[in-house]
Amino acid sequence: MAILGIIGGTGLTQMQHLNIQKQSRIATPFGEPSAAYVHGELYGNEVVFLARHGNPHTIPPHKINYRANIWGFKELGINDIIAVAAVGGISAEMKPAHIAIPDQIIDYSYGRAHTFFEDDLANVTHIDFSYPYANLLREALIGAATQSNLPVSTQATYGCTQGPRLETAAEIRRMHQDGCDLVGMTGMPEAALARELGLNYAALAVVANWGAGLQAGEITMVEIEQNLHEGMANVTRILEMFIKAY
Ligand code: HPA
């Protein structure tokens, strides 16, 4: 039976209800993944969980070893990955604690190790990335959300910024004009690296705050944590339905 990979972001450093069977540390040609991979049983299925920011949460978005993280999943024989990510909301529907299953990406990050195609250049180096998220996984996530009676956005463009600072109001205005609905810091190169290794990858994005300039006052960590707390409870419900049907 296929084993599902789950990447947890801010607000999801550990999976509740996961009956842990073992943990594995993997050395990859690209260095160390963010944490040990946690193997276990969740809602009747086998899963492997990785905390993107480490456990405890100490690795900021621009310091994450995305290549090692994705490589480790491949090495463990995982074919499907669901990535959970905290984001800022840009378009009107993306209010705090809302959940979206993005279908597109615009990458504004820079200076990250973003490809596996560095040395062995006899192989194909141009993956097709027209539709960056795996459609079958997206459809299954949308089905799980519908079954859970949770209103999710089933299309959204995720804009990936470099961080770790939040954006300026003008940057968010520009991203809105570009067509971004969400802003986050970890969606890339994660999604592209999964595609390079032939892994199916889809994301559940949880809105933690309005993007810069879209709300009165500063964006605070307290507010982010509160909204994530609410949103992650719904993410857990969607994951439960998804995993039961997987
Ligand atoms: N910007 C970028 N990344 C984020 C935000 C944001 O406003 N909120 C949560 N992750």
Side-chain angles (χ1 to χ4, degrees):
M1 201 168 60
I3 302 172
L4 177 70
I6 301 174
I7 301 179
T10 302
L12 193 71
T13 299
Q14 293 171 27
M15 288 292 311
Q16 256 190 350
H17 310 299
L18 175 63
N19 299 313
I20 298 174
Q21 286 151 355
K22 66 169 181 178
Q23 307 214 18
S24 53
R25 291 214 168 259
I26 297 187
T28 81
F30 305 95
E32 293 260 313
S34 295
Y37 293 81
V38 184
H39 304 240
E41 180 271 331
L42 185 62
Y43 310 121
N45 252 303
E46 264 190 272
V47 306
V48 173
F49 177 82
L50 180 70
R52 184 189 284 116
H53 298 275
N55 183 13
H57 185 296
T58 51
I59 312 170
H62 63 297
K63 293 286 190 193
I64 291 168
N65 191 338
Y66 295 96
R67 292 196 298 189
N69 288 354
I70 295 296
W71 188 272
F73 276 113
K74 177 84 175 176
E75 197 137 311
L76 289 169
I78 306 292
N79 285 320
D80 296 336
I81 297 176
I82 301 296
V84 179
V87 294
I90 299 180
S91 55
E93 198 177 317
M94 304 298 170
K95 47 185 180 301
H98 185 67
I99 294 173
I101 297 162
D103 66 326
Q104 278 298 327
I105 298 176
I106 299 179
D107 189 8
Y108 302 88
S109 71
Y110 48 86
R112 299 181 177 189
H114 64 287
T115 178
F116 291 113
F117 297 120
E118 299 275 19
D119 300 321
D120 190 11
L121 297 182
N123 288 322
V124 177
T125 56
H126 304 292
I127 51 159
D128 178 273
F129 205 46
S130 313
Y131 300 96
Y133 298 103
N135 218 17
L136 284 179
L137 289 182
R138 289 189 64 258
E139 278 168 11
L141 283 174
I142 292 166
T146 309
Q147 253 189 304
S148 319
N149 266 327
L150 288 168
V152 298
S153 298
T154 57
Q155 281 187 315
T157 296
Y158 175 114
C160 185
T161 56
Q162 175 68 359
R165 68 166 177 83
L166 294 167
E167 297 69 39
T168 65
E171 283 168 340
I172 292 293
R173 277 199 303 274
R174 180 181 74 153
M175 291 177 80
H176 186 50
Q177 278 167 15
D178 285 354
C180 295
D181 301 294
L182 305 167
V183 54
M185 299 177 191
T186 57
M188 286 292 284
E190 197 171 86
L193 291 168
R195 180 66 56 87
E196 282 190 351
L197 292 189
L199 306 183
N200 303 313
Y201 175 100
L204 272 175
V206 189
V207 181
N209 55 279
W210 283 112
L214 299 179
Q215 65 177 39
E218 282 185 14
I219 301 167
T220 66
M221 284 313 291
V222 173
E223 163 201 353
I224 287 183
E225 277 159 21
Q226 269 170 6
N227 292 323
L228 282 183
H229 187 69
E230 188 185 333
M232 284 302 168
N234 292 337
V235 161
T236 304
R237 282 171 59 194
I238 296 173
L239 279 178
E240 178 177 347
M241 288 297 177
F242 176 89
I243 291 169
K244 283 180 174 164
Y246 184 66

